[in-house]
Amino acid sequence: MNVVKFGGSSISNSKNIKRVLDLIKRIDEKTIIVVSAIGKTTDLITKAGILASKKDSKYKEVFKKIKSTHFNIIRKLSDINFQVKILTTVQKLFIELENILDGLYNVGEFNKSINDKISSYGEILSSRIIFRIAINQNININYLNSKEIIQVEKSSFDKLIVDYRSTKKKWNHYKDKNTFFRLIMPGFIASDKKNKITTLGRGGSDFTASILAKITNSNKIILWTDVSGLYSANPKIVKQAIPINHLSYEEAMELSHFGAKVIYPPTIQPAMDKKIPIFIKNTFDVRHKGTRIGLNDSVSKSIVKGISHIENISILNVEGSGMIGEPGYIKRVYEVLYHNHVSIVLATQASSEHSICIGIKMDDSLKAKKLIEIEFKNEIKNNIIKKINIDDNQCVITLVGDKMKKHQGISGKMFSALGSNNINVKAISQGSSERNITAVIEKKDVKKAINTLHERFFERNIKEVNLFIIGVGNVGSSLINQIK
Ligand code: ADP
Ligand code: ASP
Ligand code: MG
């Protein structure tokens, strides 16, 4: 058995869904097909929910837009007499969603669980529609709602934990009662212990695929997306970025954790547990072999495999000579943030404990500052700690590669490349695994920094220069022609 997943952009309109249906037709082994919401539906549903809860009637326009996208697809891809059947199911789902949005407008309320509820409609709609259209095209396919199978729990700190035992039990129950060759399931959604609908987090359809692969002992997972694999850097930022042939699970984990959006970080663990390879492939270039994520291989020679980055980071500095040699400060900083659900992206600290530097999401920066100021109220009053300093608009940039630990000089190369391009490094961190080296820089420098590092580590024979010619006359024009 295999598991394949199609992301939102792969099914964003009727033309793309047609392409996906062709791939589904060609499946020649027993396969579970996981689908995301169509295009940007999840963003739009959340937007409608927020607008409604703020009593802004524009939510109706957003809702209409979502509806027309879905209805257009049905109209374009199914026979007229079959459309009635699909439209009845879909219309019913839209009435439910509209009722909830109207309710939010009336009560003016919005929270995480409401957002889970409304955004779940994205995947329910896409999976139902694609299933029905496939049936209309005589494709042998069955439907199963992931909510009936995947069960999760939330820890006291809102961390999502998959209950694999219940999930597996539910799956076995389904499998014993049903036969299928192709089985389509919505990504992203699951149910909690009380059978209430919940979601696996943004990008969660990748995770759905991996959870299903684990419980069904699948041979492989294919994530079909809009790029030809996991690239050496975000292809939208670095023109010269190239797809990486092979990555170890650990490398993929680091790259996705530090911002490579093409794979949702929790996806790796279930696959790694069962040693199931993950392939990332391009729906728009199906022949490209894409990226394989699996056990570490000895074939790959690259030391640095990829560069990733996270934007909108704040750096929080706790500093004071009074902290030197006094144990326990870090523990207190970590604890107060942990207990208040502020997650730490990166941390650095010198052994003197003179200063502690922590990277957090910018949305959390004011909250974190207040929390630490309260925690160290006495120390600040007694001048043991100086005021807490926050730098917003920062960016974390990371080099990843399993083989970096065996090679000296990588960080030297990294920082000299940044330095010689006038990019100021605010903080540095290197995990003891030495699989990543991370630097904090200002957000305004990020494009330059990533391109500089990419050039330094991946483009040995290419050097990009910006050439400015001022006052183009005969000589200038000839030069431009020569360059052309
Ligand atoms: P899907 O809808 O298929 O889940 P996503 O939008 O979640 O697709 O992820 C694919 C996108 O991830 C790409 O279009 C690309 O812009 C972005 N991306 C960021 N970093 C990388 C990277 N290192 N390699 C490939 N894609 C990346
Ligand atoms: N539709 C969800 C999202 O946009 C899940 C996914 O696409 O993976 O985050
Ligand atoms: Mg995704």
Side-chain angles (χ1 to χ4, degrees):
M1 169 120 85
N2 297 328
V3 179
V4 302
K5 172 250 166 182
F6 294 98
S9 52
S10 300
I11 52 167
S12 59
N13 54 37
S14 54
K15 207 170 133 207
N16 295 348
I17 295 182
K18 209 159 164 271
R19 206 188 294 271
V20 165
L21 284 164
D22 285 341
L23 284 169
I24 292 178
K25 258 181 222 161
R26 274 190 261 147
I27 284 172
D28 55 7
E29 271 180 80
K30 204 171 178 177
T31 300
I32 297 178
I33 301 148
V34 175
V35 289
S36 290
I38 286 170
K40 299 261 175 252
T41 303
T42 315
D43 289 335
L44 291 174
I45 296 180
T46 300
K47 187 175 169 192
I50 293 172
L51 285 170
S53 67
K54 287 184 177 156
K55 298 205 176 280
D56 185 336
S57 58
K58 277 203 204 87
Y59 80 91
K60 285 187 187 290
E61 281 165 40
V62 181
F63 176 73
K64 249 193 196 160
K65 189 175 165 198
I66 303 170
K67 214 168 143 179
S68 71
T69 305
H70 287 77
F71 281 11
N72 279 340
I73 288 170
I74 298 171
R75 271 187 217 107
K76 285 201 176 132
L77 291 180
S78 56
D79 300 341
I80 197 109
N81 19 1
F82 204 82
Q83 277 174 24
V84 185
K85 242 185 187 166
I86 312 183
L87 286 172
T88 320
T89 318
V90 172
Q91 187 68 32
K92 198 171 146 262
L93 290 167
F94 273 118
I95 291 173
E96 282 173 23
L97 178 59
E98 193 174 19
N99 284 341
I100 306 176
L101 292 171
D102 291 344
L104 295 179
Y105 183 80
N106 290 330
V107 296
E109 205 185 305
F110 196 75
N111 57 39
K112 163 96 181 51
S113 112
I114 292 172
N115 195 26
D116 275 353
K117 172 79 191 155
I118 57 172
S119 55
S120 71
Y121 280 87
E123 268 70 6
I124 298 279
L125 281 162
S126 64
S127 57
R128 285 268 170 213
I129 291 171
I130 295 174
F131 168 62
R132 285 280 159 205
I133 295 173
I135 293 278
N136 187 208
Q137 298 191 3
N138 296 320
I139 298 175
N140 168 16
I141 192 165
N142 293 47
Y143 185 89
L144 176 61
N145 190 343
S146 314
K147 181 181 177 276
E148 310 301 330
I149 303 293
I150 299 177
Q151 192 178 313
V152 297
E153 282 174 34
K154 292 259 166 81
S155 75
S156 47
F157 289 105
D158 243 13
K159 196 172 157 27
L160 198 90
I161 299 161
V162 179
D163 181 345
Y164 280 104
R165 211 202 255 187
S166 306
T167 303
K168 175 108 189 161
K169 216 165 132 193
K170 289 179 182 189
W171 170 256
N172 285 341
H173 186 74
Y174 173 82
K175 199 185 61 179
D176 292 345
K177 294 215 149 89
N178 298 274
T179 52
F180 68 89
F181 183 69
R182 300 178 186 85
L183 182 64
I184 187 163
M185 297 177 74
F188 187 51
I189 59 176
S191 60
D192 68 10
K193 254 185 168 165
K194 292 181 191 141
N195 213 20
K196 218 172 99 194
I197 198 142
T198 185
T199 70
L200 302 176
R202 293 307 306 268
S205 298
D206 297 342
F207 195 20
T208 306
S210 179
I211 295 167
L212 293 172
K214 175 171 168 160
I215 59 158
T216 58
N217 279 320
S218 285
N219 298 322
K220 65 178 174 208
I221 302 165
I222 308 177
L223 304 177
W224 288 96
T225 183
D226 61 349
V227 285
S228 299
L230 208 158
Y231 279 58
S232 48
N234 185 343
K236 293 217 169 90
I237 296 187
V238 179
K239 267 192 277 164
Q240 319 278 6
I242 39 161
I244 307 165
N245 290 334
H246 179 90
L247 284 163
S248 69
Y249 292 113
E250 291 84 359
E251 286 171 328
M253 226 181 242
E254 300 265 353
L255 281 168
S256 64
H257 174 75
F258 282 105
K261 186 188 169 226
V262 68
I263 182 163
Y264 181 49
T267 309
I268 320 277
Q269 191 65 50
M272 188 163 131
D273 291 345
K274 293 270 176 172
K275 301 188 176 61
I276 304 166
I278 304 172
F279 295 86
I280 302 177
K281 284 179 67 79
N282 191 347
T283 324
F284 306 98
D285 184 7
V286 293
R287 295 230 177 107
H288 196 293
K289 71 180 193 322
T291 296
R292 180 185 195 277
I293 300 169
L295 293 174
N296 205 346
D297 74 329
S298 47
V299 184
S300 165
K301 292 201 170 60
S302 321
I303 297 162
V304 177
K305 283 288 191 67
I307 304 166
S308 53
H309 77 285
I310 316 176
E311 290 184 2
N312 299 327
I313 293 290
S314 292
I315 290 295
L316 189 148
N317 250 303
V318 184
E319 206 176 312
S321 52
M323 284 157 58
I324 296 176
E326 287 290 323
Y329 282 94
I330 304 181
K331 180 170 168 276
R332 284 171 62 193
V333 170
Y334 276 39
E335 259 176 17
V336 71
L337 295 180
Y338 173 71
H339 287 300
N340 290 281
H341 307 224
V342 176
S343 67
I344 297 171
V345 179
L346 141 152
T348 67
Q349 188 243 335
S351 60
S352 69
E353 293 201 32
H354 174 238
S355 76
I356 301 165
C357 168
I358 280 169
I360 51 177
K361 291 199 190 111
M362 219 160 93
D363 290 346
D364 288 332
S365 81
L366 277 181
K367 178 178 167 187
K369 184 170 188 275
K370 269 196 197 130
L371 286 167
I372 293 183
E373 277 173 352
I374 295 169
E375 172 69 26
F376 293 105
K377 198 171 64 199
N378 289 333
E379 286 83 352
I380 293 172
K381 202 167 96 197
N382 297 328
N383 235 350
I384 293 170
I385 286 179
K386 284 198 228 160
K387 268 210 160 337
I388 313 299
N389 183 40
I390 290 257
D391 273 339
D392 285 335
N393 290 315
Q394 305 297 306
C395 173
V396 165
I397 179 165
T398 306
L399 290 188
V400 173
D402 279 340
K403 299 202 168 121
M404 286 186 346
K405 57 176 164 276
K406 291 203 185 110
H407 280 82
Q408 282 113 32
I410 303 290
S411 48
K413 250 190 197 176
M414 175 177 183
F415 297 119
S416 75
L418 293 174
S420 55
N421 281 278
N422 291 328
I423 297 159
N424 188 23
V425 175
K426 296 247 175 108
I428 299 167
S429 130
Q430 179 167 23
S432 58
S433 72
E434 291 187 44
R435 195 174 284 119
N436 81 60
I437 306 171
T438 299
V440 179
I441 57 170
E442 284 199 33
K443 195 174 153 192
K444 68 171 174 52
D445 290 331
V446 70
K447 213 169 158 188
K448 186 166 146 193
I450 297 178
N451 278 283
T452 298
L453 292 178
H454 197 269
E455 190 180 300
R456 187 77 181 83
F457 288 98
F458 295 93
E459 302 163 32
R460 263 162 237 127
N461 302 318
I462 303 167
K463 181 114 188 115
E464 202 173 286
V465 293
N466 295 304
L467 176 67
F468 299 89
I469 303 175
I470 298 166
V472 182
N474 282 340
V475 176
S477 309
S478 304
L479 177 59
I480 290 171
N481 281 334
Q482 280 183 17
I483 291 169
K484 268 189 195 160

